[in-house]
């Protein structure tokens, strides 16, 4: 009996379990690529927004005017959102006659909380990529072991075995491993790359918070200094 050794032919000839494994891995691969494009776009936008905000902030713009301008926008994210959270808390604490150290500490905590939210958003979908990259080869290996096991069971039912009889079963089983690697490799590469980018953004956010806190400390100290 002739066997179709094309991908579609081997898929159709595979057992139900192996077909289920292949479909699961293909679904994981499609979802991984969708999240890869989504995260790449989001991280590129975050870096672009950070550069634009830093250019405006360090150009000597008035902080009150910058805060009002950003607050008027419907959606503020990234470094601009951290700035707004910090400056809003700074104004509130300054009006309540809080000490300089209290103002700076409260402002820094507000920015830290906001930064955590921003990082959580940037890390969205990354756990899925990490999971896909780690378990996809094992799922594919399970399909391969199951397929080869069925091939040898069928082989034991015939009196004379030939390579032509064994090859299709082994080939369809190995496809499961190939699909598993196809799903895992891009997910692992993307996860490592995106994790590094998120870490760099987090460091940049942290550096800005330190510098901005120093600026606000000078302003609060100057206001509370005896005349």
């Amino acid at each position: 009996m002739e066997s179709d050794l094309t991908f579609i032919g081997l898929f159709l000839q595979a057992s139900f379990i192996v077909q289920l494994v292949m479909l699961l891995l293909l679904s994981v691969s499609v979802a991984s690529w969708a999240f890869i494009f989504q995260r790449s776009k989001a991280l590129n936008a975050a870096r672009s927004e950070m550069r634009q905000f830093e250019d405006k902030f360090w150009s000597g713009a008035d902080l009150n005017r910058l805060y009002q301008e950003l607050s008027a926008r419907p959606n503020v994210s990234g470094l601009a959102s951290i700035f707004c959270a910090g400056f809003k808390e700074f104004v509130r604490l300054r009006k309540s006659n809080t000490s300089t150290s209290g103002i700076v500490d409260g402002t820094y905590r507000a920015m830290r909380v906001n930064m955590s939210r921003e990082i959580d958003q940037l890390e969205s979908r990354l756990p899925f990529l990490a999971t896909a990259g780690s378990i996809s080869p094992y799922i594919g290996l399970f399909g391969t072991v199951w397929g080869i096991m069925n091939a040898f069971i069928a082989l034991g039912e015939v009196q004379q075995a030939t390579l032509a009889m064994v090859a299709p079963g082994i080939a369809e089983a190995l496809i499961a491993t190939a699909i598993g690697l196809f799903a895992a490799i891009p997910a692992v590469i993307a996860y490592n790359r995106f994790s590094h980018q998120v870490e760099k953004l987090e460091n940049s956010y942290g550096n800005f918070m330190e510098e901005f806190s120093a600026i606000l400390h000078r302003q609060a100290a100057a206001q509370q200094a005896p005349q």
Side-chain angles (χ1 to χ4, degrees):
M1 187 172 77
E2 294 185 359
S3 298
D4 185 0
L5 296 181
T6 63
F7 177 83
I8 300 298
L10 291 173
F11 173 80
L12 295 176
Q13 294 170 26
S15 64
F16 174 75
I17 297 297
V18 178
Q19 288 180 343
L20 191 62
V21 167
M22 291 181 183
L23 290 175
L24 175 61
L25 291 173
L26 287 174
S27 300
V28 170
S29 179
V30 171
S32 296
W33 279 107
F35 294 152
I36 287 171
F37 287 119
Q38 181 190 54
R39 287 297 88 200
S40 179
K41 181 179 179 181
L43 291 172
N44 287 336
R47 288 195 300 271
S48 177
E49 290 174 355
M50 182 182 70
R51 287 192 293 266
Q52 292 177 4
F53 174 79
E54 286 183 330
D55 290 342
K56 181 173 294 187
F57 180 86
W58 295 113
S59 65
D62 181 73
L63 296 183
N64 285 286
R65 183 177 300 175
L66 180 60
Y67 172 75
Q68 293 174 0
E69 177 185 341
L70 294 174
S71 299
R73 297 179 182 177
N75 295 313
V76 180
S77 60
L79 202 55
S81 176
I82 295 173
F83 163 79
C84 289
F87 193 78
K88 180 179 179 181
E89 185 69 7
F90 171 75
V91 173
R92 187 185 71 81
L93 293 174
R94 188 172 58 179
K95 290 180 179 179
S96 62
N97 294 323
T98 307
S99 63
T100 300
S101 60
I103 292 176
V104 175
D105 291 342
T107 301
Y108 192 85
R109 284 196 298 270
M111 289 191 291
R112 171 64 65 179
V113 170
N114 192 273
M115 186 185 76
S116 297
R117 296 195 189 101
E118 294 295 325
I119 296 301
D120 286 341
Q121 292 180 0
L122 293 176
E123 290 179 339
S124 175
R125 311 301 185 184
L126 294 191
F128 177 87
L129 294 178
T131 302
S134 61
I135 69 172
S136 291
Y138 296 103
I139 296 176
L141 183 60
F142 168 76
T144 296
V145 171
W146 188 273
I148 291 178
M149 180 182 68
N150 287 338
F152 278 105
I153 289 175
L155 190 63
E157 297 176 354
V158 299
Q159 295 181 351
Q160 186 176 1
T162 63
L163 183 60
M165 297 175 59
V166 180
I170 295 179
E172 69 190 30
L174 291 175
I175 286 180
T177 296
I179 298 177
L181 294 175
F182 178 78
I185 293 173
V188 171
I189 294 174
Y191 173 77
N192 291 332
R193 181 168 179 264
F194 293 156
S195 296
H196 179 65
Q197 292 177 355
V198 170
E199 184 179 355
K200 290 180 65 176
L201 285 170
E202 186 175 6
N203 290 336
S204 297
Y205 292 169
N207 292 336
F208 171 79
M209 287 165 52
E210 295 290 344
E211 294 169 336
F212 187 42
S213 295
I215 294 174
L216 296 180
H217 181 273
R218 289 194 295 269
Q219 289 192 3
Q223 182 184 15
Q224 295 184 2
Q227 302 296 327

